[in-house]
Structures are given as structure tokens and as C-alpha cells.
Amino acid sequence: PRDAFGRPLPHDAQGVERVPDDYAPDAAEALHEARRLLGEGRPFHAHEVLEGRWKNSPQEERELWQGLAQICVGLTHLQRGNPRGAAALFTRGASRISPYGPPYEELAQAARSLAANPSPTPETAIATVKALL
């Protein structure tokens, strides 16, 4: 089980609902679910959705989905109070998605901005990414 921020809980604890390990959404479903979870303030779980797509996408899309998942993990690090880890993941994610052009260039730029100055509240950063996803 995990808490709302994706942190592991003791085995006997009640956690939040998780994305199944075998989840294999299509592109539209992955984006819809990731936006919904970001809207709930759950970027770790949005990352799991995007990771499900990454693992089941065509080869030419894998860098995109991995990059989007990394940006969501960066948001998770912000929630957990780790701005240095957040910056590293924002940078990696931005590098992966920027070659895909619009609309991902704008999201990559926002991720780079968050990496350079990860000082906004996690809620503000999550809202920024959700609006561009």
C-alpha cells in the first residue's frame, strides 16, 4: 500500500487506490487519467498511468511517455520536499519530450523552468503541468 504521495506504507496499512501493475491504457486514456490524477494532487499515481502507457506504446512513442512520467515523478519529489530530486527529473523529462514538438515543447519549457527554480508550491507546479499536459 501507498499513501497519496506514493510513499510506501506498512503492509497492514490502508493505502489509497493504486494503478494496477498490468494497466495498459491507450494514449487518450493515459492523458485523461494523468490529468485527472494531477487534478486530485496525485502526481505519483499520474506517473504510474503514464508508465503503463510507456511500457505498452509503440517504440517511436516510448521516450515521450517516459519523459511525461519523469515530469510527474519530479512533481512527486516536490510534494515530498526534495527540490533537488525534482529538478533532476524535470530536466530528464523535458529532454525526452521536447523532440516531439507542439504541444510538448511548452511542457518541456515549463519543466525546465521548474528545474531551474523549483520554488513554487507543489500545488502550483502540479497545476502548471496539468494545464499543459
Side-chain angles (χ1 to χ4, degrees), residues 2 12 15 19 27 30 34-35 38 43 45 53 80 85 101-102 104 107-108 116 127:
R2 292 190 179 259
D12 59 345
V19 174
R35 285 184 198 110
L38 289 172
H45 302 280
R53 178 63 188 158
R80 294 177 182 178
Y104 302 107
L107 179 55

Side-chain angles (χ1 to χ4, degrees), residues 16 24 34 48 55-56 61 67 80 96 105 113 120 132:
V16 298
E48 288 188 323
K55 290 178 180 178
N56 294 285
E61 294 179 11
R80 294 177 182 178
R96 281 193 159 84
E105 290 171 340
S113 182
L132 296 170

Side-chain angles (χ1 to χ4, degrees), residues 32-116:
H32 175 78
E33 281 301 299
R35 285 184 198 110
R36 181 183 67 79
L37 290 162
L38 289 172
E40 294 175 3
R42 298 174 59 194
F44 176 82
H45 302 280
H47 139 268
E48 288 188 323
V49 165
L50 296 167
E51 185 177 70
R53 178 63 188 158
W54 163 39
K55 290 178 180 178
N56 294 285
S57 66
Q59 184 65 36
E60 63 273 8
E61 294 179 11
R62 290 207 174 138
E63 288 288 307
L64 171 66
W65 297 106
Q66 185 178 22
L68 294 173
Q70 287 176 320
I71 290 169
C72 287
V73 174
L75 295 171
T76 301
H77 279 286
L78 277 184
Q79 281 184 321
R80 294 177 182 178
N82 179 7
R84 195 165 140 189
L89 283 153
F90 289 143
T91 300
R92 278 188 234 148
S95 294
R96 281 193 159 84
I97 70 170
S98 61
Y100 288 88
Y104 302 107
E105 290 171 340
E106 192 175 357
L107 179 55
Q109 187 148 9
R112 285 188 188 99
S113 182
L114 288 168

